[in-house]
């Protein structure tokens, strides 16, 4: 399979690859998929974990399940948006390792947004994806 996404971190911008993402992703023409925000809800209705990092691990698993459902993988993600309730530097430090692990080193573009609340009072983190589907 040819590489359909080119990742860039130009010297005129901070080197985001040191953190685990890219400043720019250039996508060759093809089919795109937009994955709705994934949260720490489980298909069996089991309780949401209370810790932010445990929720991020479950959000990551849900995102990977969505990628599998469309025949895509981590390297096909163009941009990931993450929404974190009451975002602080400490909470960002807690969420980033399991968040970045979602992408198996492929370093998509990333946008992080601090929010007041999500779809349920127990939810602390949500992630949505834009994906270039493989040929």
């Amino acid at each position: 399979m040819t590489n359909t996404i080119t990742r860039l971190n130009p010297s005129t911008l901070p080197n985001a690859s040191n953190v685990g993402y890219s400043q720019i992703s250039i996508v060759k023409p093809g089919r795109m998929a937009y994955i709705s925000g994934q949260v720490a809800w489980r298909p069996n209705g089991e309780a949401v974990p209370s810790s932010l990092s445990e929720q991020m691990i479950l959000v990551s698993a849900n995102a990977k399940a969505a990628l599998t459902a469309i025949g895509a993988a981590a390297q096909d993600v163009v941009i990931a948006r993450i929404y974190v309730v009451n975002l602080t530097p400490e909470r960002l430090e807690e969420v980033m390792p399991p968040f970045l692990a979602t992408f198996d080193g492929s370093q998509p573009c990333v946008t992080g947004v601090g929010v007041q609340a999500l779809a349920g009072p127990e939810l602390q983190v949500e992630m949505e994806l834009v994906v270039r589907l493989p040929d």
Side-chain angles (χ1 to χ4, degrees):
M1 175 169 67
T2 61
N3 187 3
T4 58
I5 304 172
T6 303
R7 316 270 187 204
L8 299 175
N9 283 296
S11 62
T12 55
L13 294 171
N15 187 353
S17 66
N18 292 336
V19 181
Y21 67 96
S22 299
Q23 292 286 5
I24 300 167
S25 292
I26 301 170
V27 181
K28 290 184 181 179
R31 292 181 336 135
M32 302 294 291
Y34 302 86
I35 296 176
S36 292
Q38 298 300 304
V39 295
W41 288 335
R42 304 172 203 224
N44 64 5
E46 194 175 326
V48 172
S50 61
S51 86
L52 177 59
S53 60
E54 288 177 12
Q55 283 197 24
M56 188 63 241
I57 290 167
L58 186 52
V59 167
S60 175
N62 288 345
K64 286 183 174 186
L67 288 170
T68 299
I70 61 172
Q75 72 268 10
D76 300 312
V77 175
V78 178
I79 187 168
R81 291 182 192 90
I82 184 172
Y83 304 91
V84 181
V85 174
N86 300 322
L87 184 60
T88 63
E90 296 78 21
R91 286 175 64 78
L92 184 60
E93 188 175 311
E94 182 179 351
V95 81
M96 284 306 284
F99 170 72
L100 292 174
T102 307
F103 308 107
D104 301 326
S106 64
Q107 300 190 348
C109 290
V110 169
T111 298
V113 181
V115 296
Q116 183 176 350
L118 294 170
E122 73 282 13
L123 299 174
Q124 300 181 57
V125 62
E126 182 170 348
M127 177 172 46
E128 65 179 335
L129 304 173
V130 175
V131 180
R132 199 288 188 177
L133 294 173
D135 293 325

